[in-house]
């Protein structure tokens, strides 16, 4: 079975902090994704990566950056956290043209 | 971009009842997935079904790509089936990113 592991289930940070969310997959998938989920707005794509060191913006990239130095790891970075980035963050991975598999999610609170 | 509509938005059932959830999409797709999000927020893969019919236990799904809809059937529902069911599609012109519907909130009463 595919395993996508997110580093934290719950995280509390302060406004202005630099925040790192880590995601690791164990199936040699080319594609990795970061989504956020908010009540009433559903799941929206922040960034995705189709290869090491490659990244593409999704629907809501503002305020975020990403890093993919190794194939199995995809990091989401909040450069200067703000309260409107309080959300559920979900990482996923897939082979091209194949189903996406999701991690358990990180509930991030910015105080 | 591609539009995904799910219906009904909310569904309340007695344990043992059957239900059908619908997903309509506005363009050609090369990926369609059904997910169940449990109360802890985990997204569980149910089906990868860009076309055709699949069954897994009490659940089955059918996608008619030419008519741009998919159906998820839940038979003999159990309280553990409660949660939000999402349909997500990848537009055929973009092989990678999923667009999610707004979900169906299912509550199964004992």
């Amino acid at each position: 079975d595919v395993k996508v592991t997110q580093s934290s289930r719950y995280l509390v940070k302060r406004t202005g902090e630099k925040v790192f969310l880590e995601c690791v997959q164990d199936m040699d998938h080319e594609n990795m994704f970061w989504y956020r989920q908010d009540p009433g707005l559903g799941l929206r794509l922040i960034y995705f990566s189709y290869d090491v060191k490659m990244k593409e913006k999704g629907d809501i990239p503002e305020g975020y950056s990403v890093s993919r130095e190794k194939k199995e790891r995809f990091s989401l970075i909040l450069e200067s956290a703000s309260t409107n980035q309080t959300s559920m963050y979900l990482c996923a991975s897939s082979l091209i043209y194949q189903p996406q598999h999701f991690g358990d999610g990180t509930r991030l609170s910015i105080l | 971009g591609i539009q995904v509509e799910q219906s009904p938005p909310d569904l309340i059932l007695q344990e043992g009842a059957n239900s059908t959830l619908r997903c309509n999409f506005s363009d050609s797709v090369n990926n369609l997935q059904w997910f169940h999000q449990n109360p802890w927020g985990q997204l569980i893969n149910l089906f990868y079904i860009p076309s055709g019919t699949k069954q897994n236990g009490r659940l089955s799904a059918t996608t008619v790509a030419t008519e741009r809809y998919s159906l998820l059937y839940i038979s003999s529902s159990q309280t553990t089936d409660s949660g939000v069911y999402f349909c997500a599609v990848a537009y055929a012109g973009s092989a990678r990113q999923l667009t999610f519907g707004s979900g169906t909130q299912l509550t199964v009463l004992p």
Side-chain angles (χ1 to χ4, degrees):
Chain A
D1 272 0
V2 177
K3 188 160 181 63
V4 180
T5 302
Q6 295 185 229
S7 52
S8 306
R9 288 300 307 276
Y10 301 93
L11 202 55
V12 180
K13 296 291 183 180
R14 297 275 179 196
T15 302
E17 281 192 69
K18 190 169 187 176
V19 181
F20 293 85
L21 301 183
E22 306 287 344
C23 177
V24 177
Q25 50 94 5
D26 67 353
M27 287 301 291
D28 205 35
H29 286 171
E30 300 98 345
N31 299 325
M32 296 189 75
F33 308 83
W34 276 106
Y35 296 85
R36 65 177 280 179
Q37 184 177 19
D38 301 287
L41 295 175
L43 281 96
R44 295 174 292 168
L45 181 67
I46 305 171
Y47 267 98
F48 68 98
S49 168
Y50 53 89
D51 202 350
V52 175
K53 297 191 186 296
M54 306 302 290
K55 62 184 179 184
E56 287 198 24
K57 294 179 180 179
D59 299 321
I60 50 164
E62 297 79 17
Y64 303 94
S65 62
V66 290
S67 172
R68 193 164 180 202
E69 296 296 319
K70 294 185 177 181
K71 191 173 186 179
E72 68 270 18
R73 185 180 297 270
F74 191 36
S75 302
L76 180 69
I77 304 159
L78 286 65
E79 296 290 345
S80 178
S82 64
T83 55
N84 63 12
Q85 293 177 309
T86 290
S87 188
M88 171 73 135
Y89 290 87
L90 290 148
C91 175
S93 73
S94 75
L95 294 169
I96 192 166
Y97 299 118
Q98 292 299 309
Q100 291 187 22
H101 300 266
F102 282 78
D104 289 344
T106 296
R107 292 189 188 274
L108 175 64
S109 295
I110 308 296
L111 304 179
Chain B
I2 193 166
Q3 305 298 313
V4 183
E5 294 183 359
Q6 291 186 242
S7 60
D10 297 281
L11 188 57
I12 300 174
L13 302 172
Q14 288 295 139
E15 201 166 24
N18 302 329
S19 60
T20 301
L21 282 57
R22 187 176 180 103
C23 172
N24 292 332
F25 45 95
S26 61
D27 213 326
S28 300
V29 300
N30 58 24
N31 181 359
L32 189 147
Q33 293 182 245
W34 283 98
F35 296 92
H36 175 215
Q37 189 167 42
N38 62 25
W40 297 271
Q42 296 167 314
L43 269 178
I44 310 300
N45 269 309
L46 297 177
F47 294 102
Y48 169 67
I49 188 166
S51 64
T53 298
K54 292 186 177 179
Q55 180 154 9
N56 184 3
R58 296 181 296 102
L59 273 60
S60 63
T62 295
T63 297
V64 183
T66 53
E67 297 187 21
R68 298 182 183 167
Y69 73 89
S70 182
L71 302 173
L72 177 68
Y73 306 96
I74 305 173
S75 64
S76 304
S77 56
Q78 301 174 358
T79 56
T80 51
D81 294 331
S82 295
V84 184
Y85 289 80
F86 288 102
C87 168
V89 304
Y91 167 55
S94 167
R96 298 183 173 93
Q97 68 180 84
L98 288 176
T99 299
F100 282 76
S102 54
T104 293
Q105 174 75 57
L106 175 65
T107 303
V108 181
L109 302 174

